[in-house]
Amino acid sequence: MSRIKTFNLPDLGEGLTEGEILAWLVKVGDTIELNQPIVEVETAKAAVEIPAKWAGQVQAIHHPEGTTVEVGTPIIAIDTDPGAGPLDTTASTTATPTGDLPTPSAASLAAVELAPAEGMIEPGLIGGVAPGGRTAVLVGYGPRTTAAKRRPRKGAVPAQAEVPAAPAPVAPQPVTPEPVRNGHGGPVPGGLVLAKPPVRKLAKDLGVDLSTLTGSGPLGSITREDVQQAASGSVAAAEPVAVTSTATSAASFGADREQRIPVKGVRKLTAENMSRSAFTAPHVTEFLTVDVTRAMKAVDRLRGRREWRDVRVSPLLLVAKAVLLAVRRHPMVNSTWAGDEIVVKEYVNLGIAAATERGLIVPNVKDAGRLSLRELADALTDLVQTAKSGRTSPAAMSGGTLTITNVGVFGVDTGTPILPPGESAILAFGAVREMPWVHKGKVKVRQVTTLGLSFDHRIIDGELGSKFLRDVGDFLADPEAALLAWT
């Protein structure tokens, strides 16, 4: 039995089929421990760190950073018994002296053993046997066994492509481009240039051809410094020409002044979900403007209490509580359209839309209706902080039943939000502003907000949607009275 084991990319979320390798946390030759994070992978839902299934020594890394890999594809080889002596040189996959990504031989590929279906890993662990005989993965329905793929790069020439020479009196001879080399002098596998996306964008903006550079980074990758150094040299040489051409040429409106951003990850998933929801569920949106002066005073009083001083209290907490209480009074709002039936859920997984650097995500608080106000505050704080740090797990974004989007943090009064797929209602909470308001027969300055409720008209009629929105507004207008009356 071979001591070299190959780790395949596991399923990282429900229905996800691929992931992009953001960063390797180990390198060839490193000694690793069981469950030690070895690679950071970005999927359509989240960026996650994947732990090692075995302890041992890294023998090979099959795909560089920036590669999009299908679920089930081998990504790393691990020697599970490095203390047993050197590997057979004809069958081992080791790092080359130059530090290049290793290219396994046919003999070494034959010696590599994939994770066994059973017997070697305890049931329930990643890669072990799950109930029903399938392979246990992080989250979802199991791995696929298809090849990795890399996004095509504009203008890239395949390493093996032959470029015919210019016409001449004699028969032209094909010219094979010299392979791209890394910073150690060795060729990069497949002729690909190793550079992170920000470096590629910088090179494109500065007009630098990455294939002409020698990288000084890890594994011969090209760094920002390499690009900037090349650009400074080329700009100095081309400066006299640039002055002449600028004076005589007209403004261009072509591709050289456009930016093309690949649609992937969170943006791709958001686009698919929003398109599917917008053209499947008939949306209706209603609005309600509410005097929330008493709710804002209640927030201030909570902050002042000794037992709440270490708790993050915001108006969103009371909005969430208002939604949960309104769902108790109108359970049909918390339901899903299932074709020939409507599934009314007795639990509320309350989604909170969060804007992150990676795009819009909607993690949810599981079974939020069972939480006390203090527990709800802690759950919301943890949810927001995790989202901002980019560490929200796919499981935290699955199974939502009803969502709140707090557009007020951007200074917006309200909106017409699109339903997350599978949900029947979403509430937009607008900015709280001081406005003139008729209060007890007199015009006074009060704190006012506008709520916007979008709902699936297949499930929720106008009457039900209006009553639900009215209850949320009543709670925010007078939280103490609503709690006494409804609980």
Side-chain angles (χ1 to χ4, degrees), residues 30 61 63 80 86 117 134 148 173-175 199 306 347 376 432 458 468 483:
D30 282 358
I61 291 176
H63 304 285
T80 57
R134 68 178 183 88
Q173 297 295 327
V175 178
V199 177
R306 182 175 60 254
Y347 56 89
L376 182 61
V432 177
R458 296 174 300 179
F468 176 84
L483 283 172

Side-chain angles (χ1 to χ4, degrees), residues 230-246:
S232 61
S234 62
V235 169
E239 190 171 359
V241 178
V243 172
T244 303
S245 61
T246 302

Side-chain angles (χ1 to χ4, degrees), residues 66 225 227 251 305 345 352 393 398 408 426 435:
E225 290 73 18
V227 175
R305 294 186 66 87
K345 300 173 181 178
I352 304 295
S393 67
S398 301
I426 178 173
M435 297 179 63

Side-chain angles (χ1 to χ4, degrees), residues 11-70:
D11 186 355
L12 302 174
E14 296 182 3
L16 300 180
T17 60
E18 64 183 20
E20 179 182 353
I21 297 176
L22 292 181
W24 281 105
L25 308 180
V26 296
K27 61 182 181 297
V28 173
D30 282 358
T31 299
I32 59 175
E33 300 177 354
L34 178 66
N35 292 328
Q36 174 183 334
I38 57 175
V39 63
E40 184 178 15
V41 176
E42 181 182 46
T43 69
K45 290 189 175 182
V48 295
E49 292 182 352
I50 300 178
K53 293 194 292 186
W54 310 282
Q57 187 178 60
V58 178
Q59 290 297 306
I61 291 176
H62 298 313
H63 304 285
E65 296 175 358
T67 304
T68 298
V69 182
E70 298 282 355

Side-chain angles (χ1 to χ4, degrees), residues 75-148:
I75 59 174
I76 188 172
I78 300 173
D79 181 358
T80 57
D81 190 12
L87 292 166
D88 184 354
T89 57
T90 64
S92 62
T93 304
T94 57
T96 63
T98 62
D100 297 334
L101 292 176
T103 303
S105 63
S108 66
L109 289 176
V112 171
E113 179 180 331
L114 297 179
E118 60 185 36
M120 293 300 296
I121 306 174
E122 295 183 16
L125 292 180
I126 296 174
V129 180
R134 68 178 183 88
T135 301
V137 293
L138 293 183
V139 181
Y141 303 111
R144 289 172 51 182
T145 55
T146 51

Side-chain angles (χ1 to χ4, degrees), residues 263-276:
V263 179
K264 62 177 185 175
V266 172
R267 176 58 55 197
K268 182 177 181 180
L269 181 67
T270 301
E272 292 173 351
N273 286 344
M274 293 300 96
S275 297
R276 183 169 71 252

